[in-house]
Amino acid sequence: MNNSTRFVLDIFKKNKKQLYTIILVATIGAILTTITPYVYGRLFDLSQAPDTVTNILLALIGIWLILSLLSNYISNMTGYRGEVLGVKISQESEAEAYSHFLTLPVLFHKKEQRGETFQKISRASSSLENLISTISDILPQLLMLFFSLIAMFFIKWQLAMILLVTFVVYGFFTIKLVKPEMAARRKEHQAYEKQYGTVYDKLYNVFLVKNFVMEDEERKKFFQSLVEKIVPVVENAAIKSRRVSTVQGIITGISFVLILGGAIFFLRAGEITPGQFVMFFGYINLSFSPLRFFGTLYRTYKRAAVAIKRFLKLRRIAPERMGHGNRTLPNFMGKIVFENLDFGYLKEKKVLRGINLEISPGESVALVGKSGVGKTTLAELVMGYYLPGRGKIKLDDVDISELQLKWLRDQIAIVPQDLNLFNDTLINNLKYADPGATEKKIIEACKTASADEFIRTLPKAYHTKVGEEGVKLSMGQRQRIAIAMAFLKNPKILILDEPTAALDAESEKKVQEGINRLIRGKTTFIIAHRFSTVRNANKIIVLEKGRIAELGNHDELMKKRGIYNKLYRLQRGLD
């Protein structure tokens, strides 16, 4: 059993109660439907007999009407229930997929295009919905086919045999011709995912497009991606799909003519009655309906399997457990030790080499060096975003691999260079750092972070919507919100990643005031190129080519006249 089939069967098990109800109701409908041709066939024969009582004819007409109305009602009921179940299952699968997406390692998010991943989830969800709403009809269609065949064998077995041969031929050609169609569908899914990944990338970076006045150029590229590159692939899949449908139509057409033509000759020879002919005609239609259904079901399943298989590849990516244990430290002080640490995103290319460092509780450590030397990577290793290639990281003398990942990250707050916010009110964004925080506590945190003053000037103060990614706020304002969120989280470890970069003097002063209050009593990493931020740190670590090149405080490093001294003087000259 392949993974796609196992996935669908697991879904059925979770929803078996609703599925069984749909199948039961649909089965009753199928039985009523197969009785109907017998009723109107008998009615036709009795109407030809001169001694038939009128009341019997009226009763049969009444039964026929009731059966037709009930069948129609049940058909609509099962269609509605099947559609709702399909939507429910597809939405559950989509919600689970997006939840899984959030648990994936940081390396995945840095490497993969979000748009491509979202398109993969969306197409699998849509395919699953179509499959579920179709698949609940399997048993009713089987019963309809079974009862129709029995009735046809009783009426004229020779004609029923033609129908059986048709099923075999129909199934053989469907299975044979669907294979090339599915190969084309795989290419279709790949095209959709890749091209929508490119389109979403541009939409996510709309301000970059506007900054360089590239709207017209991107419009051309949208048409290239969504029309020129997708339509030919879809057309190729549609051609192969049409080939399958054409062959299926030819087989059913020939079979229908042969069976009905044979029935006409048997009627002329007097071997069947006119009523049996009418009855047989009804059962032929009932038989071909399941035949077409199973042909469609097989193709729907195969199409869904292509999308689900690609979706399952995403689900198989391990969540961010990364070998972490379940240990917590009730009296965590904030001591951090790096022992012989090596790390590289690629095995053959190390970013950090031989890092040995001890940071005492409450100590502030500044990481200095050229861009790309591993400053942010070193801090991200403490967050548990990656596992060291060699060596250990210890918190209060306990290897972080033994610690529960959620607990570990609860002890750390990051003040990034540019905070992205949700398109929600400011207070709801702030509550993300502490969901249980009262409005009073939030306002106090904002005052301490030097943010309350500007928040009061907003149209609805704390209840102002900040726009997608916080676009309605300036960078300096977002920095102060990040500091307020760190106050609310109240961690033992702080990571300040370029907190005052690209700020004007007034904004930098406000942000720095908030930072000075924030770092008191906390073990702090300061990643910065601005030396105004790092000179008061207890320790300054100069990284070069992934190694610790210099270590000391500002005065000690200035006396050495090494890399730090050179960088410091260079920046002062630029300033």
Side-chain angles (χ1 to χ4, degrees), residues 1-13 128 131-132 135 138 298 301-302 304-310 312 316:
M1 187 187 296
N2 62 44
N3 291 329
S4 300
T5 305
R6 193 178 294 111
F7 175 71
V8 173
L9 291 177
D10 286 342
I11 287 172
F12 286 165
K13 286 176 186 175
L128 191 59
L131 180 63
I132 299 300
I135 220 161
I138 287 178
Y298 181 73
Y301 166 71
K302 284 293 186 181
V306 172
I308 291 168
K309 187 177 179 182
R310 297 181 67 76
L312 289 177
R316 281 197 296 272

Side-chain angles (χ1 to χ4, degrees), residues 257-496:
V257 170
L258 287 174
I259 293 169
L260 200 60
I264 290 169
F265 280 104
F266 282 122
L267 177 65
R268 285 193 65 187
E271 294 186 29
I272 58 173
T273 66
Q276 286 176 321
F277 177 82
V278 172
M279 203 184 296
F280 205 91
F281 185 80
Y283 283 123
I284 290 171
N285 282 323
L286 284 183
S287 300
F288 277 110
S289 175
L291 186 65
R292 295 187 193 98
F293 168 81
F294 284 111
T296 302
L297 176 65
Y298 181 73
R299 292 169 70 186
T300 302
Y301 166 71
K302 284 293 186 181
R303 286 180 189 178
V306 172
I308 291 168
K309 187 177 179 182
R310 297 181 67 76
F311 163 73
L312 289 177
K313 282 184 181 178
L314 176 68
R315 278 171 53 107
R316 281 197 296 272
I317 299 172
E320 204 176 17
R321 287 188 294 271
M322 295 180 61
H324 281 264
N326 286 309
R327 191 172 170 184
T328 60
L329 305 176
N331 300 309
F332 178 52
M333 300 300 292
K335 179 183 176 184
I336 306 172
V337 176
F338 296 88
E339 292 182 357
N340 301 314
L341 181 82
D342 286 0
F343 175 77
Y345 296 104
L346 301 171
K347 287 183 179 180
E348 63 275 9
K349 191 176 180 181
K350 290 182 181 178
V351 177
L352 297 168
R353 299 178 181 84
I355 303 295
N356 286 288
L357 178 64
E358 183 173 323
I359 304 166
S360 301
E363 199 171 35
S364 59
V365 176
L367 302 175
V368 176
K370 295 176 183 177
S371 297
V373 295
K375 301 186 297 293
T376 300
T377 302
L378 189 64
E380 288 180 340
L381 283 162
V382 179
M383 288 287 291
Y385 285 163
Y386 319 107
L387 282 177
R390 185 175 70 89
K392 293 180 180 180
I393 303 170
K394 293 182 178 180
L395 300 189
D396 283 7
D397 300 319
V398 177
D399 194 317
I400 65 166
S401 65
E402 298 176 27
L403 299 173
Q404 187 187 93
L405 194 58
K406 185 180 185 306
W407 178 89
L408 172 65
R409 291 187 184 161
D410 275 340
Q411 311 312 307
I412 305 170
I414 301 176
V415 178
Q417 182 176 346
D418 188 14
L419 176 69
N420 288 335
L421 296 168
F422 297 114
N423 188 12
D424 201 346
T425 61
L426 201 48
I427 196 163
N428 284 344
N429 274 287
L430 286 158
K431 277 187 175 181
Y432 209 69
D434 181 4
T438 62
E439 190 162 337
K440 183 180 177 182
K441 185 179 177 181
I442 290 169
I443 292 169
E444 283 301 317
C446 290
K447 284 179 178 177
T448 315
S450 302
D452 180 71
E453 185 181 343
F454 89 78
I455 292 172
R456 297 289 181 185
T457 67
L458 298 174
K460 294 183 180 179
Y462 284 86
H463 298 278
T464 303
K465 279 201 167 186
V466 297
E468 194 166 345
E469 297 186 351
V471 70
K472 292 181 182 179
L473 303 179
S474 71
M475 185 178 286
Q477 289 171 337
R478 289 199 296 274
Q479 287 281 5
R480 281 176 269 171
I481 294 301
I483 293 168
M485 292 175 81
F487 270 115
L488 287 167
K489 191 172 184 181
N490 192 28
K492 287 288 184 182
I493 300 171
L494 274 171
I495 297 172
L496 309 179

Side-chain angles (χ1 to χ4, degrees), residues 123-188:
R123 289 184 70 79
S125 172
S126 176
S127 297
L128 191 59
E129 182 183 334
N130 292 335
L131 180 63
I132 299 300
S133 59
T134 305
I135 220 161
S136 58
D137 255 352
I138 287 178
L139 184 60
Q141 293 288 343
L142 273 174
L143 288 173
M144 199 184 297
L145 180 61
F146 178 70
F147 290 136
S148 297
L149 273 172
I150 290 174
M152 289 169 75
F153 267 103
F154 273 110
I155 297 167
K156 207 68 186 171
W157 67 267
Q158 295 94 329
L159 299 177
M161 285 301 297
I162 296 174
L163 190 61
L164 278 177
V165 172
T166 301
F167 292 156
V168 175
V169 174
Y170 187 94
F172 171 79
F173 279 101
T174 298
I175 292 169
K176 186 178 176 63
L177 293 174
V178 159
K179 286 181 181 178
E181 183 190 348
M182 291 310 107
R185 294 293 175 193
R186 274 190 289 276
K187 291 179 181 177
E188 180 186 318

